[in-house]
Amino acid sequence: MSSLHRLIAAAAMCLPLGVATAAEPPKYGLGTTPTAAQIAGWDIAVRPDGQGLPDGHGSVKDGDELFANNCAACHGTFGEGAGRYPRLAGEGKLTGDRPEQTVQTYWPFATTLFDYINRAMPFPSPHVLPPEQVYAITAYVLNFNGLVDDNFVADRNTLPMVKMPNRDGFIWTDPRPDTHDTACMTNCRAPADVKVAQTAEGKNLTPRTTGPLDTALPQ
Amino acid sequence: MLRAGLGAGAAAFAVAASGRARADDASPPADPDWSQSLGPGVGDRVYGHPSHFEADAIRRTVPWLTASPESSISFTPLQYQQGIITPSGLFFERYHAGRPTVDPAQHRLMIHGMVDRPLLFTMDDIKRFPSESRIHFIECPANGGMEWRAPQLNSLQFTHGMISCAEWTGVKLSTLLQEAGIKPTAKWVLAEGADGAHMARSLPLEKCLDDVLVVYGQNGEALRPEQGYPLRLVVPGWQGNVNIKWVRRLQLGDAPWFTREETSKYTELMKDGKARGFTWPIYAKSVITFPCPEMPVKGPGMYEIRGLAWSGLGKIKQVDVSLDGGVNWVRARLQGPVLPKALTKFTLEWRWDGRPALLQSRAMDETGFVQPTISELRAVRGSNGVYNNNSIQTWQVKPDGSVFNVQLA
């Protein structure tokens, strides 16, 4: 396509959208225009306001069986986790020495759950479940976390409405630098205060760093 | 032909003879086997690899760290790194759904959303745009994440090896975005990979127009599959996870998407239970790479302390080294090139008297930011944050020369 044709094609595409500002013409004229179907096939990202959620719906009831068949082997029947695979449920605290960061306690948006299950799960064969099933499984995961009731049906309208407990638990602007920026050069602390408080020596957690790759777990 | 035949015979003899070799057989005045024979000819290795004597310099893993190797991490052996460039075969790996095999002939990059014209590029298209090569580090923000509460791993490779540095070649993301035409309402870009994780991160448009590259070259050759072959983002100075590998889609929008990797993960839980999100830049950090637990000192005498420093905010301005656990500091020598958002090498001559020492390095970048101690970080953030541990590392040198990972009171 000549760049002139491309320009006309691009202008024609803009017309139905009623764009008032004159778009800059492309400088290099490389690439092609993806079809609506091509865009739709890859455009899977979902936002908290629901933008990107597909047609369809799924219930907690349907999700129960789908989760058992597709997810429970790694995440446990009620999201309690199996082996070292992540737990999806848990109502502990976010403070203290062992904080519990789960869908219930930590995740700020229910839409992210749909987005992630759809794009990345089930782990061995991601992005194979149809939207109805992803909706149903999402509903079920929210349900065993006590976030929606048994009659909940997930769809593009209901998911953005689910109030997640930690919705306001995040600071989205970086507060750093949050330390002192002191570059003292001499007598910066009393030599007597300099003591080894803790050491990795003898902990037996470090894999071998010579010889072939060490795949052994610590005793 | 005759000469080639003789050569092969001589090489075979040399191999047989070396079977009886002792360690000092090659020292003067002897002339060793390899000096009296022919080695393999050109074409013996059509793609070269390191000497087999360097077999310890490999990426290593911590098996107990993750549930499965397909969503896991391997660590660069920084104890062997010479200079600022990480060899492509030793660049640390981080996958969320294993390493996909992507056919470059079929790979596409799609740009859509708040643009004047959505575009679909082949690899050939992308390589026709003006190209740019730059040296940048990439660090996983979980580097050192096991060390928040206490030193765990007695190893430089495992405490600091989630960082590597390469020369990257590609096209500026701004060039591609301008080709598509950015709508005035666009503020964010979602970048998404073609791997099974469909790894997706929201990036502010401002950063995308500043210095982000869409990369197909690494250290003079095509990207390695481990690093996103055939196409990845390099987001200079920002946490590794946003440097989307196998990148196939860029969507422009007016708000972030809050994907799982920017909510459930890659957010930092503070001691009050609140969490920080979108903490993208890597703040200044440094570590002594010799001596270290893997590379102890061998008796008193002269050594060169060596290390690496880096900052995601710009250039390293200064590195100080302490031999006494932070009481007194000496300015280290920076070895050029000193590049923004790249590893920078530092050195300091050191006469070890055989007494216990507590070695530390402290980086300062061109913004004036100074690398903090772990106690300082813990006082502000607690120890549940996992990410962005850029604290000063302490190596304890014992009288026998052995080196341990410690934290000071």
Side-chain angles (χ1 to χ4, degrees):
Chain A
M1 201 193 288
S2 77
S3 54
L4 182 63
H5 278 107
R6 191 181 296 279
L7 193 61
I8 294 167
M13 278 186 40
C14 292
L15 281 179
L17 299 170
V19 174
T21 49
E24 284 277 311
K27 181 170 174 193
Y28 299 96
L30 294 167
T32 52
T33 304
T35 64
Q38 284 180 314
I39 295 176
W42 277 10
D43 183 3
I44 57 171
V46 172
R47 289 198 324 202
D49 61 3
Q51 192 202 80
L53 279 170
D55 291 341
H57 60 268
S59 66
V60 171
K61 199 170 156 298
D62 292 342
D64 190 340
E65 197 184 323
L66 287 164
F67 190 89
N69 294 337
N70 293 291
C71 324
C74 295
H75 295 298
T77 310
F78 302 104
E80 70 277 13
R84 288 181 302 140
Y85 288 110
R87 288 188 310 140
L88 305 184
E91 46 185 16
K93 290 188 306 199
L94 292 177
T95 49
D97 275 354
R98 291 193 153 270
E100 271 198 79
Q101 288 162 275
T102 66
V103 171
Q104 180 182 346
T105 62
Y106 197 59
W107 288 46
F109 305 108
T111 48
T112 307
L113 191 58
F114 179 98
D115 176 278
Y116 183 67
I117 296 171
N118 183 48
R119 73 170 61 244
M121 292 291 138
F123 188 62
S125 49
H127 202 222
V128 295
L129 302 176
E132 280 77 15
Q133 296 190 8
V134 179
Y135 272 126
I137 293 170
T138 304
Y140 180 66
V141 174
L142 292 171
N143 179 258
F144 67 54
N145 273 295
L147 299 168
V148 299
D149 64 30
D150 295 351
N151 300 318
F152 181 74
V153 175
D155 65 24
R156 67 152 58 95
N157 297 316
T158 58
L159 273 186
M161 305 293 284
V162 176
K163 172 91 174 105
M164 301 294 272
N166 200 39
R167 167 70 180 77
D168 301 319
F170 291 81
I171 302 146
W172 295 109
T173 47
D174 193 341
R176 293 175 298 167
D178 53 356
T179 47
H180 297 119
D181 290 343
T182 40
C184 165
M185 294 303 285
T186 45
N187 301 319
C188 302
R189 48 190 310 202
D193 293 349
V194 178
K195 288 197 192 78
V196 171
Q198 310 189 76
T199 175
E201 186 179 0
K203 281 196 176 164
N204 194 27
L205 290 170
T206 316
R208 258 197 333 259
T209 53
T210 54
L213 190 64
D214 187 353
T215 53
L217 296 171
Q219 313 302 321
Chain B
M1 281 311 290
L2 184 61
R3 290 181 76 85
L6 277 175
F13 175 75
V15 169
S18 69
R20 297 189 300 270
R22 288 195 319 272
D24 56 357
D25 272 358
S27 302
D31 202 25
D33 293 338
W34 56 76
S35 305
Q36 297 186 328
S37 60
L38 292 179
V42 298
D44 176 60
R45 290 176 174 179
V46 291
Y47 194 100
H49 49 82
S51 160
H52 73 269
F53 295 108
E54 298 298 320
D56 283 343
I58 56 173
R59 293 189 283 234
R60 293 178 187 272
T61 61
V62 178
W64 50 264
L65 206 57
T66 50
S68 87
E70 293 85 8
S71 181
S72 195
I73 188 125
S74 71
F75 298 76
T76 290
L78 293 177
Q79 67 274 27
Y80 293 105
Q81 175 152 334
Q82 312 288 345
I84 63 169
I85 298 289
T86 308
S88 298
L90 296 177
F91 205 105
F92 82 95
E93 299 160 283
R94 174 63 169 120
Y95 310 140
H96 288 81
R99 182 192 67 233
T101 303
V102 179
D103 176 357
Q106 296 179 54
H107 188 71
R108 296 289 181 275
L109 177 68
M110 181 190 281
I111 302 182
H112 72 109
M114 289 183 164
V115 291
D116 296 326
R117 32 180 187 271
L119 285 172
L120 192 60
F121 296 114
T122 63
M123 287 300 299
D124 283 347
D125 293 333
I126 288 166
K127 289 179 180 173
R128 276 175 63 183
F129 282 99
S131 61
E132 194 155 314
S133 294
R134 277 194 251 133
I135 294 173
H136 290 301
F137 73 81
I138 294 180
E139 182 182 22
C140 175
N143 204 10
M146 290 93 85
E147 306 277 308
W148 273 103
R149 269 165 224 289
Q152 305 268 21
L153 294 162
N154 201 49
S155 148
L156 167 66
Q157 183 160 9
F158 295 126
T159 54
H160 288 79
M162 297 186 200
I163 186 167
S164 301
C165 184
E167 186 204 52
W168 308 101
T169 300
V171 47
K172 279 156 81 173
L173 177 54
S174 60
T175 305
L176 298 184
L177 295 180
Q178 277 148 13
E179 186 75 358
I182 303 162
K183 289 237 195 281
T185 42
K187 294 282 175 295
W188 291 82
V189 178
L190 181 94
E192 191 173 274
D195 57 332
H198 300 83
M199 178 53 62
R201 291 296 306 260
S202 310
L203 288 167
L205 180 63
E206 202 186 346
K207 175 70 174 173
C208 294
L209 296 179
D210 178 18
D211 60 357
V212 178
L213 292 177
V214 180
V215 159
Y216 44 79
Q218 175 184 0
N219 293 340
E221 61 181 353
L223 267 181
R224 288 292 172 91
E226 293 92 321
Q227 292 312 311
Y229 180 85
L231 199 64
R232 77 171 305 167
L233 284 194
V234 169
V235 185
W238 283 24
Q239 58 176 229
N241 186 248
V242 301
N243 294 249
I244 300 292
K245 301 194 274 189
W246 315 286
V247 65
R248 77 169 188 188
R249 190 168 77 92
L250 299 165
Q251 178 180 1
L252 280 72
D254 56 4
W257 281 260
F258 295 101
T259 67
R260 183 255 191 173
E261 256 66 36
E262 51 207 26
T263 52
S264 169
K265 304 291 168 189
Y266 302 97
T267 50
E268 302 166 56
L269 191 54
M270 298 292 114
K271 55 185 176 186
D272 63 356
K274 292 269 187 237
R276 294 179 183 177
F278 294 153
T279 49
W280 301 292
I282 298 289
Y283 274 63
K285 186 169 172 181
S286 68
V287 67
I288 291 172
T289 58
F290 177 82
C292 67
E294 293 95 326
M295 297 286 174
V297 283
K298 295 175 178 167
M302 280 306 290
Y303 291 93
E304 184 180 60
I305 291 174
R306 298 183 182 135
L308 295 165
W310 60 96
S311 166
L313 299 182
K315 288 181 189 163
I316 288 295
K317 192 166 128 198
Q318 160 184 336
V319 178
D320 305 314
V321 169
S322 173
L323 309 170
D324 56 12
V327 178
N328 297 298
W329 297 81
V330 202
R331 185 78 37 92
R333 186 177 74 94
L334 298 188
Q335 179 189 290
V338 179
L339 302 169
K341 306 173 190 181
L343 288 185
T344 297
K345 187 175 168 179
F346 65 87
T347 61
L348 181 73
E349 285 190 11
W350 176 44
R351 181 177 296 281
W352 186 45
D353 54 13
R355 288 201 304 227
L358 293 167
L359 305 190
Q360 299 181 322
S361 66
R362 180 183 66 194
M364 183 200 280
D365 70 15
E366 62 182 338
T367 72
F369 177 85
V370 178
Q371 186 181 4
T373 62
I374 184 75
S375 326
E376 210 182 334
L377 281 183
R378 275 199 289 251
V380 202
R381 303 185 197 165
S383 348
N384 292 335
V386 180
Y387 305 99
N388 286 329
N389 176 2
N390 63 331
S391 64
I392 291 171
Q393 173 66 46
T394 308
W395 298 133
Q396 176 191 36
V397 183
K398 294 200 175 181
D400 67 357
S402 58
V403 179
F404 294 93
N405 170 17
V406 299
Q407 290 179 9
L408 302 181

